[in-house]
Amino acid sequence: DAMVIQNPRYQVTQFGKPVTLSCSQTLNHNVMYWYQQKSSQAPKLLFHYYDKDFNNEADTPDNFQSRRPNTSFCFLDIRSPGLGDAAMYLCATSRDPGETQYFGPGTRLLVL
Amino acid sequence: GENVEQHPSTLSVQEGDSAVIKCTYSDSASNYFPWYKQELGKRPQLIIDIRSNVGEKKDQRIAVTLNKTAKHFSLHITETQPEDSAVYFCAASDGRGGADGLTFGKGTHLIIQP
């Protein structure tokens, strides 16, 4: 079942200290997404990659960046985490745009 | 952008009864509507989806209906079981050309009373 893998599952960082979350997939899907899910809220799309094309949501803070060095991996970089960035970060993939999205187990980020 | 409204926020039903969750969306260009089930601390799991060229889809105890004119879609669960207890999210594709991220409703906490 490990088709979308996220590491680490839990990440603790300090206020203002850069942190990177990783996602990998064995599905060879073309699209990879990052969602932020705060406690008792719905997932919120931050950005996605369609192959190498990056698509940023208009309201995603500049503090959040992403990299996709190859088809299998995608990274979420938070340059200066604030207390409000504590959340579950979910990676998802789909074969092509508009197709079913499969979620990874998520990384729970705690900011101290 | 797309806006998805979901009701109710909490739904409690007796085991064996049916549950219905309703969503509306704002962007008439949206064409893909999945439903996800999320148990506490776990990832969202797709349970059923529907596209705008179909009005209804069924998979065993779960069905989804779509009214494109009214821009609303609903999840129906029949013969509910304790393991159906979870948070359910509806979602809609963004619909913008080349962009297909999902916009989620706020979720419904479904509680199955034994």
Side-chain angles (χ1 to χ4, degrees):
Chain A
D1 192 39
M3 297 181 294
V4 184
I5 302 159
Q6 290 189 245
N7 285 305
R9 295 294 308 277
Y10 300 91
Q11 176 74 57
V12 181
T13 191
Q14 292 178 336
F15 182 93
K17 184 175 181 181
V19 65
T20 295
L21 310 181
S22 74
C23 177
S24 63
Q25 51 125 345
T26 60
L27 299 163
N28 204 33
H29 281 177
N30 292 313
V31 194
M32 296 185 77
Y33 310 80
W34 280 103
Y35 291 86
Q36 178 194 62
Q37 186 176 26
K38 295 187 176 181
S39 182
S40 300
Q41 296 185 22
K44 182 181 182 301
L45 181 67
L46 295 173
F47 27 57
H48 74 278
Y49 272 96
Y50 177 25
D51 196 13
K52 295 180 181 178
D53 293 333
F54 177 69
N55 297 273
N56 195 39
E57 290 300 293
D59 56 356
T60 298
D62 292 340
N63 197 26
F64 292 85
Q65 303 287 323
S66 186
R67 295 171 285 133
R68 190 179 185 186
N70 53 54
T71 300
S72 300
F73 285 87
C74 195
F75 299 99
L76 170 62
D77 300 309
I78 308 177
R79 292 191 297 188
S80 181
L83 298 179
D85 296 328
M88 174 76 85
Y89 289 88
L90 294 160
C91 174
T93 74
S94 66
R95 185 175 58 182
D96 285 307
E99 298 200 16
T100 300
Q101 293 188 25
Y102 298 93
F103 284 83
T107 294
R108 185 167 294 281
L109 178 68
L110 181 63
V111 182
L112 300 178
Chain B
E2 177 67 277
N3 183 47
V4 177
E5 299 283 342
Q6 182 172 348
H7 299 281
S9 57
T10 303
L11 178 61
S12 181
V13 301
Q14 290 292 322
E15 182 179 351
D17 288 350
S18 296
V20 180
I21 302 170
K22 298 183 179 182
C23 289
T24 60
Y25 62 99
S26 61
D27 188 346
S28 57
S30 289
N31 56 10
Y32 176 61
F33 308 93
W35 286 88
Y36 285 86
K37 174 184 180 183
Q38 188 175 32
E39 297 175 356
L40 190 63
K42 296 190 176 180
R43 76 187 80 188
Q45 295 269 20
L46 180 74
I47 56 171
I48 197 167
D49 57 11
I50 193 167
R51 297 188 184 274
S52 59
N53 57 346
V54 176
E56 184 174 356
K57 185 176 177 180
K58 190 173 181 181
D59 182 4
Q60 299 182 341
R61 298 187 296 111
I62 296 172
V64 57
T65 58
L66 171 65
N67 183 327
K68 207 179 169 194
T69 302
K71 290 190 281 189
H72 67 71
F73 56 113
S74 301
L75 177 71
H76 305 251
I77 305 174
T78 58
E79 301 171 20
T80 53
Q81 300 168 3
E83 53 265 36
D84 294 331
S85 294
V87 178
Y88 290 79
F89 291 99
C90 64
S93 67
D94 190 83
R96 287 175 292 163
D100 69 326
L102 295 173
T103 300
F104 284 84
K106 292 188 175 181
T108 295
H109 187 192
L110 178 62
I111 302 165
I112 308 301
Q113 304 278 6

